[in-house]
Amino acid sequence: MNSAIAQNFTVFWFRRDLRIDDNHGLKLAFEQGQTVIPIFIFDRDILKSLDRDDARVSFLHQAVTELNKSLMAHGSRLHVYHGKPLEVFGKLFKQHKISAVIANEDYEPYATKRDAEVSALVRTNGAEFRTVKDHLIYAKADVVKDDQSPYKVFTPYSRRWLARFETDKISTYASLKAIQAAAEQGSKEGAEIPSLTELGFSPSKVPVPELKMENGVIKAYAETRDFMAKDSTTKIGVHLRFGTVSVRQAVRLAEKFSNIWLKELIWREFFQMILFHFPSTVNHPFDPKFEKFPWRDEAADFKKWSEGMTGYPIVDAGMRELNATGFMHNRARMIVGSFLCKHLLLDWRLGERYFAGKLFDFELASNVGNWQWVSGCGVDAAPYFRIFNPALQTKRFDKDHEYIKRWVPEVGTSRYPPAMVDHEFARRRALLAYEAIKTSKALGPKGKPKL
């Protein structure tokens, strides 16, 4: 019999929180008074849908490697598994006498289903399964209306968020101190971290966007954030996604240096709240009228958009930046999203899924929320008549064509394609389609507006 069976263990399950400091669940685990087994699972159910050279897997693998180094420096070690969570926990319970499994909360539909299944298994084995809030300041129903219903408009949500934040005075979690205070409680065992090749992946050639958390970048955010040629955003998205940076650290910096950047962080929490309360929005528009929207079925048009060959330089620059780097400037995201949904009348879900496969900072709630916003079918959505004019957007935010020249150098030559659709024609077509849905006007054959 394994000698470890005689000892009680607490398992801490790392997921979207790959750091040892300011980590709520990790602090709680090391305060239990038992030996802590920190684990990470490369989840087969998630990995199987990704490209073999997915840049985010390379980032994740490196983050897990660095996390293990941090734990080892403080007398512990990460146990890394490649498999399905239920199978991994089944093996852990056979190997160890576990009294508690602790993790930080995750609110995406797959995660909530997974956690419910793991919780049932843990409880069947006589142990406690506990999750706590960590990667958001406010989650689930923390910020709701007086009648306890969720907000569907951002501005009143943000007001209440800020009012509560002022009262609560959020502090950090001293997880690093908890590890140091319990130096003998960290498990020293653990298998080698599987290589990318063993996981079925190859190292990505796409570089990680450089994190810029300097005070100067945040201070200047309001003035510089919309100019696409400037490298003036923090690139914090992927780090919040995987928890290599604490959201509390980000919010404290925003509170001190930039209300506008703080607003962006609150938008992230707003979309997380919406996804939690309305998980069907992953695949369905929040506004049910849009279930009948007459999206065009034109694979060739989608291909031109995705390859950055629309004939609209600012649109193509954004798509080429995404394809080459896994990042796209936020202003460009609004422009290319509006173009797909309103110039081309292609389904927002096509764009959402394309971004999901490419974005370094992909986060389901924000991706779905922003695509529904730009297409006009979500909560607090952009008005249906707001159709970005690529020429005007270029004039305002890339007047010297620096961004365009960087990504579309062949503009003005015979190698660059003509515009795939006339702006004024596309605008009139979109308005007609949107007005028919918004006002429930009579539809033509097959339920489509008479365009």
Side-chain angles (χ1 to χ4, degrees):
M1 179 180 291
N2 191 325
S3 59
I5 292 291
Q7 181 181 3
N8 281 337
F9 290 87
T10 294
V11 171
F12 178 72
W13 183 10
F14 281 99
R15 290 105 68 91
R16 300 183 57 174
D17 47 7
L18 304 181
R19 64 187 187 283
I20 64 170
D21 200 13
D22 193 14
N23 186 318
H24 188 181
L26 187 63
K27 175 179 181 289
L28 183 64
F30 272 91
E31 290 175 341
Q32 299 301 297
Q34 299 175 344
T35 298
V36 176
I37 304 176
I39 73 167
F40 180 83
I41 302 171
F42 284 102
D43 190 335
R44 290 186 190 275
D45 286 332
I46 295 174
L47 297 181
K48 67 183 180 183
S49 64
L50 303 178
D51 292 338
R52 297 305 91 187
D53 61 348
D54 192 298
R56 294 161 300 188
V57 178
S58 291
F59 174 87
L60 179 61
H61 189 269
Q62 182 60 36
V64 168
T65 301
E66 293 301 318
L67 175 64
N68 186 43
K69 290 179 181 177
S70 297
L71 286 167
M72 290 177 68
H74 295 283
S76 187
R77 185 168 181 173
L78 190 63
H79 298 229
V80 182
Y81 302 91
H82 180 207
K84 297 185 177 184
L86 279 177
E87 295 172 355
V88 170
F89 277 101
K91 292 178 182 177
L92 280 169
F93 275 101
K94 290 180 180 178
Q95 296 169 347
H96 304 284
K97 185 178 180 182
I98 297 168
S99 60
V101 175
I102 297 173
N104 288 313
E105 294 173 347
D106 193 347
Y107 312 105
E108 294 183 359
Y110 168 79
T112 56
K113 179 177 181 293
R114 174 203 63 200
D115 286 359
E117 293 172 347
V118 171
S119 176
L121 174 67
V122 170
R123 295 178 194 284
T124 297
N125 282 273
E128 175 192 16
F129 183 78
R130 183 176 178 185
T131 59
V132 292
K133 180 173 59 179
D134 179 77
H135 87 275
L136 299 172
I137 303 297
Y138 296 119
K140 297 181 179 178
D142 285 345
V143 178
V144 291
K145 299 178 185 178
D146 290 339
D147 64 2
Q148 301 305 302
S149 64
Y151 283 100
K152 300 174 186 176
V153 177
F154 174 74
T155 299
Y157 170 86
S158 65
R159 288 197 193 106
R160 179 154 288 193
W161 191 104
L162 286 166
R164 177 162 180 177
F165 184 75
E166 286 295 319
T167 301
D168 290 349
K169 301 297 182 185
I170 300 299
S171 60
T172 59
Y173 294 100
S175 49
L176 179 55
K177 288 184 178 179
I179 295 173
Q180 293 169 337
E184 298 304 315
Q185 293 177 18
S187 173
K188 312 299 189 295
E189 302 175 358
E192 292 297 319
I193 298 173
S195 67
L196 279 171
T197 302
E198 290 169 329
L199 294 172
F201 290 83
S202 57
S204 174
K205 297 178 181 178
V206 177
V208 178
E210 182 185 357
L211 177 64
K212 293 175 178 275
M213 292 285 283
E214 298 89 350
N215 297 346
V217 173
I218 299 173
K219 284 180 181 178
Y221 181 77
E223 291 74 34
T224 61
R225 64 178 179 143
D226 279 319
F227 297 97
M228 292 167 277
K230 294 181 180 293
D231 186 16
S232 58
T233 56
T234 61
K235 311 294 193 305
I236 197 174
V238 66
H239 297 278
L240 291 177
R241 169 69 179 87
F242 292 111
T244 52
V245 169
S246 159
V247 68
R248 289 167 292 281
Q249 177 188 357
V251 166
R252 283 195 303 275
L253 287 171
E255 184 184 27
K256 187 175 181 179
F257 296 114
S258 174
N259 289 332
I260 298 298
W261 195 53
L262 177 59
K263 182 180 177 182
E264 295 301 314
L265 295 172
I266 299 173
W267 265 108
R268 174 177 177 265
E269 303 221 340
F270 176 65
F271 283 141
Q272 290 276 353
M273 182 271 297
I274 291 296
L275 182 63
F276 176 78
H277 287 282
F278 306 100
S280 65
T281 55
V282 171
N283 297 306
H284 298 279
F286 183 83
D287 185 342
K289 288 182 180 179
F290 277 83
E291 292 284 11
K292 296 182 179 180
F293 192 84
W295 302 114
R296 298 169 64 243
D297 184 12
E298 295 291 343
D301 285 359
F302 180 75
K303 185 172 186 291
K304 290 178 181 178
W305 175 84
S306 63
E307 293 178 349
M309 294 294 288
T310 68
Y312 282 83
I314 199 69
V315 174
D316 295 339
M319 294 307 298
R320 294 186 192 187
E321 180 185 28
L322 172 65
N323 292 334
T325 70
F327 175 81
M328 188 193 297
H329 192 282
N330 190 58
R331 171 60 56 174
R333 297 186 198 199
M334 291 189 283
I335 295 169
V336 304
S338 177
F339 189 88
L340 180 76
C341 299
K342 294 181 177 178
H343 276 70
L344 302 182
L345 286 188
L346 295 180
D347 196 327
W348 65 270
R349 284 164 284 214
L350 294 172
E352 191 277 326
R353 288 164 190 161
Y354 191 81
F355 273 31
K358 293 287 185 178
L359 280 174
F360 239 118
D361 60 8
F362 167 71
E363 196 163 44
L364 181 63
S366 296
N367 202 45
V368 169
N370 282 315
W371 272 99
Q372 290 206 14
W373 178 87
V374 80
S375 68
C377 69
V379 291
D380 202 12
Y384 72 90
F385 50 80
R386 184 182 186 185
I387 300 171
F388 285 89
N389 182 327
L392 291 180
Q393 292 290 309
T394 301
K395 185 176 181 180
R396 291 182 64 188
F397 303 115
D398 192 36
K399 66 178 182 177
D400 296 325
H401 291 197
E402 292 179 63
Y403 183 67
I404 288 172
K405 289 174 184 176
R406 184 181 305 160
W407 295 108
V408 196
E410 76 274 23
V411 167
T413 73
S414 60
R415 293 182 292 115
Y416 189 62
M420 62 187 294
V421 63
D422 176 73
H423 170 69
E424 288 302 325
F425 166 78
R427 184 176 185 278
R428 289 193 300 270
R429 179 175 65 178
L431 287 174
L432 182 58
Y434 275 79
E435 285 171 357
I437 290 295
K438 284 293 186 181
T439 61
S440 299
K441 289 182 179 178
L443 301 179
K446 298 182 181 180
K448 293 186 176 183
K450 301 170 183 177
L451 303 181

